Amino acid sequence: AAIADAMVAAGSTPALRTVRERLGNMGSLGTISKLLQQWRADREKKIASALTLPAGVQRAILEFMGQELSSAKAALETELAEQQQEAADLATENERQGAEIEGQGDALTAR
């Protein structure tokens, strides 16, 4: 494990033969292979646990995101209400102008 850690620290990837060479070409490849597999599994567990955020940090992030979502939702709901009112106003104006055009058409027909 110490040799594999040193190799990673030096920027190289621990491989079966290179680890054996660093041991002075001692030890069986089978034993070194088993130990290297165990080292890799332990290293993966350490990396995975390092990537997990503490519960308090997770809660803080979730609370922050909840507040941001609520704020964004409120702004969008306000904008939606304004757009709906504008659409209703345009529909009313459209109906008024349609009635006015119809009245003018009737007036021209009556002449």
Side-chain angles (χ1 to χ4, degrees):
I3 290 173
D5 287 335
M7 291 178 72
V8 168
S12 63
T13 303
L16 185 60
R17 294 200 184 278
T18 55
V19 169
R20 187 168 188 270
E21 287 173 9
R22 294 217 180 172
L23 286 170
N25 289 318
M26 297 175 58
S28 74
L29 289 177
T31 302
I32 295 170
S33 175
K34 288 178 187 177
L35 293 173
L36 198 53
Q37 287 175 358
Q38 182 181 356
W39 172 83
R40 286 186 179 120
D42 291 344
R43 186 166 184 256
E44 287 176 13
K45 288 177 187 174
K46 288 177 186 176
I47 291 171
S49 68
L51 295 176
T52 303
L53 294 173
V57 174
Q58 288 179 7
R59 255 189 320 278
I61 290 171
L62 289 174
E63 287 173 8
F64 173 76
M65 291 304 298
Q67 291 170 353
E68 290 296 308
L69 286 173
S70 293
S71 177
K73 183 179 177 184
L76 289 172
E77 286 174 346
T78 299
E79 185 177 342
L80 177 61
E82 290 172 359
Q83 293 293 327
Q84 288 173 333
Q85 182 60 50
E86 196 173 296
D89 292 346
L90 287 171
T92 301
E93 178 64 17
N94 189 31
E95 289 174 14
R96 185 194 64 75
Q97 287 180 355
E100 184 178 323
I101 291 170
E102 189 176 321
Q104 289 175 351
D106 292 342
L108 286 173
T109 304
R111 289 189 181 172

